[in-house]
Amino acid sequence: AVETSNSPLTQIQARLNQLNLLIAQAEWETAEEQLPQIQQQINQLPLTQAGIYAQINFAQSLLKGRGYWSTGSDDALISEIEKILLSARVRAEILSDPRAMSYAIGRLGSLYEVTQQWTEAENLTRRALLQAQSLVNAPEITYLWQWQLGRILKAQMSEKSGAEQIKYRTEAIAAYDEAIKTLQLIKADLSTIDRGEQFSFRERVEPAYRELIELRLQAMPQISLEQQLSRNNDQDNQNLDRARKTLEALQIAELQNFFREGCIDAPVIALDEVIEKTSNQQMDADGYAAKAAFIYPIILPDQIAVVLKLPRKEQPLPLLYYSTKVKQEFVEETLLNLRRQITDPENSTEPFKEPAQQVYCWLIQPAVALLRSQDIKTLVFVLDGFLKNIPMAVLYDGQQYLIEQYGIALTPGLSLPDPKPLDRDRLSVLFAGLSKAEGFSDLPFVQEEEEQIREILQNGQQHSFASLENFKREDLQERIAEDSFQIIHLATHGKFSSNQDETFIMAADGEVSVTDLEQILRRNQSGSNSIELLVLSACQTADGDN
């Protein structure tokens, strides 16, 4: 397209796409070779909205390469980028194009943010935001400048003290709150919103949530858990509650981005209510008290923070907070090392005790005395980031594993579909197994797995069990559509990824994509016919990325 198109605009757009690809792949030398010709072509473009967007795109690409380009000084580069963006703003004003004006002014604010010219950055960002808010149906632009304003205010906050610092923090939190609200309006596919403004979830969505969480936690007083209990401050409670709800919103946004659609609304019950209800029961089925505490770890750039919720007695207890100053890179490196150790079949228990104890010190150790004094029996975890790939049972205090001291539960968020126990005397199970699949090693124990499930069900008189050996996609679809199975157990290979196109399970006749699997399972999701438990049983069905 670069060489064959007769349209100058098409040529420059193709070259800019190529430049961005080279930058993404860190091929700086090849990318730099493209700059002079792109600059020359941009200067020759006619006065159009597309031409203005090309200028802004080129300026952003130049800024991304700051520190990597081999020629010219940093001051000269910043000056050149400023010149391009000022030209784009003037051209947008000549065209009376408010959308292009918002982009040009906002990106100039971005440049001044990078160079820490805070007053100019803030003023331009506010102007760009007002321009974006005057447009009809432009939430994706509004979000960019709300988030940018929050970052600029947050950066200035660190240079202030006393009342002035509180003022900047309050304004920064307000800007971030508005940005998150705007994101929630956007909802659907966050990666293809507007021409020239493609959202990368990791780069342009997730950081906004985490920066807001960090701001809220910075406002927390650095006092002991016991002091927090006796203080029971409403403002502290609100900050912590909003911090964990922000992370909950991030996890929902991740799912929406993955499935390219909004999540299905369903009646839910707050996790806190589940914990209170469980903790107020005298005994569980085995005769043990079920007193549960709720642990919500949050991984931030310079710390790992934990929000702790204890079961109340007569009065509601405050949310509690503790943190450890540690770089995110070290946290993730430790978790990755622990994951490798516990999944290596050649390892003894010794190699993973050290990283397991380190994670214990971050998540549990600061609260040990309080958990004991409250007679906590069960720990309920809502995990963040790479922590989801670590079984909490393996955390180690130097003498015992966590599973030896507490019951452990995992939940994906702050709310759940209203939980009701299964009728254990009337279980209906569909087992679908596949021992051999092309491209995967054999699963040698599928038959034994099926036999053990049969043995479990033989203890009840009214259980039903159906089996599909070497199942095909159509077989699975038909059986799930025909019968009201409460439990679906799939013993087959799968691959899981944050990329929807690389997420599937295997059937005898090929891959079943995650969207196809969703449709197959959803066929029986009405009222009392809903599937209560889905089991994916094979090595890589427990594997993936963050």
Side-chain angles (χ1 to χ4, degrees):
V2 173
E3 303 299 338
T4 61
S5 173
N6 293 323
S7 165
L9 183 60
T10 302
Q11 287 185 10
I12 192 60
Q13 287 173 336
R15 287 195 181 278
L16 286 170
N17 289 338
Q18 184 183 38
L19 177 63
N20 286 327
L21 181 61
L22 291 169
I23 290 173
Q25 295 173 342
E27 297 182 24
W28 299 108
E29 186 175 342
T30 307
E32 193 167 3
E33 293 171 357
Q34 314 295 316
L35 301 183
Q37 187 170 4
I38 293 175
Q39 177 73 77
Q40 182 181 7
Q41 287 181 299
I42 282 181
N43 292 339
Q44 296 171 352
L45 287 176
L47 181 58
T48 63
Q49 184 189 70
I52 296 169
Y53 285 159
Q55 283 184 294
I56 297 170
N57 189 337
F58 184 52
Q60 286 181 261
S61 297
L62 287 175
L63 190 58
K64 287 177 185 175
R66 187 186 185 200
Y68 295 99
W69 309 129
S70 62
T71 58
S73 67
D74 186 63
D75 287 345
L77 175 67
I78 295 299
S79 179
E80 180 61 29
I81 296 170
E82 183 179 43
K83 179 181 175 182
I84 294 170
L85 290 173
L86 287 170
S87 171
R89 183 176 72 175
V90 169
R91 290 160 70 89
E93 289 171 350
I94 293 171
L95 281 181
S96 298
D97 186 329
R99 183 178 288 262
M101 286 170 60
S102 181
Y103 273 131
I105 295 169
R107 286 306 173 196
L108 195 57
S110 301
L111 176 65
Y112 294 146
E113 177 192 4
V114 170
T115 57
Q116 298 184 14
Q117 296 169 261
W118 300 124
T119 301
E120 295 87 347
E122 182 180 341
N123 290 339
L124 286 167
T125 302
R126 290 188 185 277
R127 284 179 57 191
L129 177 57
L130 284 172
Q131 191 79 65
Q133 289 173 330
S134 70
L135 298 170
V136 176
N137 194 28
E140 73 283 359
I141 313 175
T142 301
Y143 163 69
L144 288 176
W145 311 143
Q146 287 168 333
W147 177 32
Q148 184 166 293
L149 179 60
R151 295 196 309 269
I152 292 167
L153 292 168
K154 180 173 178 281
Q156 293 180 85
M157 181 193 78
S158 62
E159 300 175 354
K160 310 296 180 182
S161 60
E164 199 171 8
Q165 185 180 72
I166 294 172
K167 172 180 173 291
Y168 272 87
R169 176 184 287 117
T170 302
E171 290 184 6
I173 287 174
Y176 274 102
D177 274 336
E178 291 303 312
I180 299 303
K181 288 177 185 175
T182 302
L183 268 181
Q184 291 169 344
L185 289 175
I186 295 171
K187 284 186 177 179
D189 184 1
L190 295 174
S191 64
T192 55
I193 294 173
D194 188 85
R195 76 186 81 154
E197 279 300 333
Q198 293 190 339
F199 278 38
S200 159
F201 189 88
R202 296 288 180 201
E203 293 178 4
R204 300 217 188 166
V205 176
E206 183 175 354
Y209 286 90
R210 293 195 181 277
E211 288 160 15
L212 175 56
I213 293 167
E214 189 176 21
L215 268 172
R216 292 199 182 283
L217 295 182
Q218 282 176 355
M220 293 298 298
Q222 299 301 308
I223 57 178
S224 70
L225 294 177
E226 289 74 16
Q227 288 173 311
Q228 290 178 50
L229 267 177
S230 59
R231 172 183 164 97
N232 200 359
N233 181 274
D234 285 343
Q235 185 60 51
D236 293 348
N237 268 317
Q238 288 179 15
N239 267 335
L240 292 177
D241 188 47
R242 287 170 181 165
R244 63 178 188 160
K245 285 178 178 175
T246 300
L247 193 54
E248 169 99 334
L250 168 60
Q251 292 169 339
I252 292 172
E254 285 178 322
L255 286 175
Q256 290 175 336
N257 183 66
F258 180 82
F259 286 109
R260 300 294 190 265
E261 63 180 351
C263 295
I264 298 171
D265 292 327
V268 295
I269 182 170
L271 181 62
D272 289 358
E273 293 180 33
V274 179
I275 292 174
E276 302 293 357
K277 181 179 178 181
T278 305
S279 295
N280 288 332
Q281 294 171 351
Q282 295 300 311
M283 295 289 177
D284 65 16
D286 298 316
Y288 295 101
K291 208 168 183 184
F294 159 63
I295 294 181
Y296 207 115
I298 306 170
I299 301 173
L300 297 170
D302 295 311
Q303 64 177 309
I304 183 163
V306 178
V307 177
L308 174 65
K309 162 78 174 171
L310 295 173
R312 66 181 177 183
K313 296 176 182 177
E314 293 79 18
Q315 298 295 325
L317 292 175
L319 292 170
L320 305 174
Y321 162 74
Y322 51 92
S323 66
T324 304
K325 292 290 184 184
V326 59
K327 291 291 185 184
Q328 181 176 347
E329 293 80 5
F330 181 69
V331 171
E332 293 180 349
E333 180 184 325
T334 303
L335 295 173
L336 188 60
N337 180 34
L338 177 55
R339 171 74 184 183
R340 287 197 195 103
Q341 297 287 354
I342 60 180
T343 55
D344 185 349
E346 302 299 322
N347 272 346
S348 66
T349 59
E350 292 303 320
F352 66 73
K353 282 186 176 178
E354 183 177 347
Q357 189 168 359
Q358 176 66 80
V359 180
Y360 177 91
C361 289
W362 290 332
L363 303 191
I364 308 298
Q365 183 62 49
V368 165
L370 188 57
L371 294 173
R372 288 174 181 164
S373 70
Q374 296 288 319
D375 195 29
I376 298 300
K377 302 297 183 183
T378 301
L379 300 180
V380 182
F381 289 91
V382 179
L383 298 176
D384 178 33
F386 201 85
L387 280 166
K388 296 173 186 174
N389 291 340
I390 304 298
M392 292 294 101
V394 80
L395 301 193
Y396 187 65
D397 69 359
Q399 296 181 326
Q400 287 183 306
Y401 295 104
L402 196 63
I403 192 64
E404 297 179 88
Q405 304 171 53
Y406 299 97
I408 294 176
L410 299 178
T411 179
L414 293 175
S415 56
L416 298 168
D418 193 1
K420 296 182 175 62
L422 289 175
D423 182 353
R424 293 180 178 242
D425 294 325
R426 295 174 179 268
L427 295 179
S428 57
V429 180
L430 173 63
F431 180 94
L434 183 68
S435 299
K436 298 179 182 293
E438 186 176 351
F440 292 89
S441 57
D442 292 352
L443 289 179
F445 296 106
V446 171
Q447 187 174 348
E448 287 87 341
E449 197 168 338
E450 179 183 349
E451 290 172 357
Q452 289 182 17
I453 294 171
R454 284 183 186 272
E455 288 178 13
I456 293 170
L457 295 176
Q458 284 173 358
N459 296 327
Q461 297 298 316
Q462 300 184 61
H463 296 323
S464 64
F465 180 84
S467 175
L468 290 173
E469 295 183 11
N470 296 320
F471 71 95
K472 295 182 178 180
R473 172 195 168 127
E474 188 176 344
D475 300 333
L476 184 65
Q477 184 171 322
E478 287 179 358
R479 289 309 304 269
I480 290 178
E482 290 171 0
D483 297 302
S484 301
F485 295 105
Q486 297 166 298
I487 300 172
I488 309 290
H489 188 110
L490 304 176
T492 181
H493 282 294
K495 182 178 178 184
F496 288 77
S497 165
S498 54
N499 183 344
Q500 186 186 52
D501 296 332
E502 296 177 5
T503 301
F504 58 86
I505 65 166
M506 291 301 298
D509 52 350
E511 297 175 5
V512 180
S513 72
V514 67
T515 49
D516 289 342
L517 179 61
E518 179 199 16
Q519 293 302 318
I520 291 171
L521 297 175
R522 193 185 287 182
R523 290 179 182 279
N524 209 19
Q525 294 286 294
S526 60
S528 61
N529 292 330
S530 62
I531 297 168
E532 299 288 349
L533 176 63
L534 173 66
V535 180
L536 302 173
S537 176
C539 299
Q540 292 190 48
T541 54
D543 201 5
D545 55 26
N546 284 3

